[in-house]
Amino acid sequence: VEDEYDLIKKADVVINSTDFLYNDSLKHNDNCMLIYNGSTVREYKKLPKIDKYVYIGRSEKKIDWEWMNSLDLPVDVYGEINSYDQKYDNITMMDYKTEKELSEILSQYKAGLVAFNEDEFNKGMLPIKIFNYLDAGLEIITHNCPEADNYLKYHKDEPHDWWDRFSKFPLELPKFHLSRRGEDTMAVWWSMSR
């Protein structure tokens, strides 16, 4: 298996989704692009606000439960999270919802949370939940996610639709395929053969 940096050096173009990754890739390949992540749901149902906060996500290893509890705010958590043992009174585990189902309920919350543990991996992340929160009209509270902070500081008022954003780049790459599978999954396949 080749090292990630060896692959970056050999690539015709490297597409990055965060400033951190873009700057890191530029050290190994001059032909890099920055295309931020984005949401895939076009419309969010507008609902009256409730006095609760929300976290959406699937990876419990990244979640800083202690920080979320320290906010002392009522938080509903949606996602496939198996290891949480309900030890905090202010955090309620909700049933898993697809992105489409979340678009029906997300706008009712006061704010969306990005509550990550402090680790090296999270430094380069710009999670898609940010764009879901923005499109639903939520304020966002971040913790240990510098790329999210950077994006929100400079780009929060831009359109957040990933498909529209990606289609604006004039790419002429061999055998490029962009496809959606299912209602809440996206995939991009690249073939570097010419």
Side-chain angles (χ1 to χ4, degrees):
V1 177
E2 290 186 78
D3 178 82
E4 174 184 352
Y5 294 117
D6 290 335
L7 293 172
I8 290 172
K9 288 174 188 173
K10 292 178 184 178
D12 294 326
V13 64
V14 181
I15 299 175
N16 301 271
S17 61
T18 70
D19 292 312
F20 178 87
L21 296 174
Y22 174 76
N23 290 325
D24 191 48
S25 295
L26 276 175
K27 296 174 189 171
H28 307 282
N29 188 322
D30 291 335
N31 197 15
C32 294
M33 297 173 66
L34 174 62
I35 302 176
Y36 291 110
N37 284 328
S39 67
T40 59
V41 172
R42 303 222 191 278
E43 292 183 29
Y44 282 77
K45 185 175 182 177
K46 299 299 179 205
L47 299 169
K49 296 287 184 191
I50 60 174
D51 195 26
K52 283 188 160 187
Y53 296 76
V54 65
Y55 178 92
I56 58 174
R58 293 187 177 172
S59 180
E60 66 263 24
K61 293 176 185 168
K62 290 186 280 190
I63 300 172
D64 189 338
W65 298 108
E66 296 289 332
W67 176 81
M68 205 181 305
N69 180 57
S70 74
L71 296 174
D72 201 27
L73 301 169
V75 178
D76 287 346
V77 176
Y78 294 90
E80 294 178 19
I81 298 171
N82 303 317
S83 68
Y84 181 67
D85 61 7
Q86 289 289 359
K87 65 181 177 180
Y88 303 116
D89 292 336
N90 65 316
I91 299 173
T92 304
M93 298 304 297
M94 308 300 284
D95 291 334
Y96 171 79
K97 302 260 188 247
T98 65
E99 194 171 11
K100 175 71 175 134
E101 291 169 325
L102 283 170
S103 73
E104 299 287 323
I105 61 169
L106 206 52
S107 70
Q108 70 184 331
Y109 290 95
K110 278 189 152 183
L113 303 179
V114 179
F116 288 161
N117 286 313
E118 187 174 349
D119 80 12
E120 201 63 30
F121 179 76
N122 292 337
K123 282 184 183 177
M125 287 189 56
L126 180 59
I128 291 174
K129 69 174 75 15
I130 293 285
F131 304 99
N132 298 123
Y133 295 157
L134 287 170
D135 287 345
L138 300 183
E139 294 184 26
I140 300 170
I141 302 170
T142 65
H143 177 65
N144 288 330
C145 194
E147 285 296 317
D149 296 335
N150 184 54
Y151 180 85
L152 292 168
K153 182 176 179 182
Y154 296 108
H155 304 286
K156 70 178 179 176
D157 296 324
E158 296 175 5
H160 308 293
D161 185 284
W162 191 84
W163 302 100
D164 290 342
R165 186 179 287 166
F166 194 89
S167 67
K168 290 182 175 127
F169 281 83
L171 295 179
E172 291 184 22
L173 297 174
K175 297 183 184 176
F176 170 71
H177 306 281
L178 179 63
S179 174
R180 282 182 89 156
R181 298 182 322 213
E183 64 180 321
D184 67 344
T185 306
M186 68 176 127
V188 177
W189 288 275
W190 294 92
S191 173
M192 296 314 284
S193 60
R194 296 182 190 252

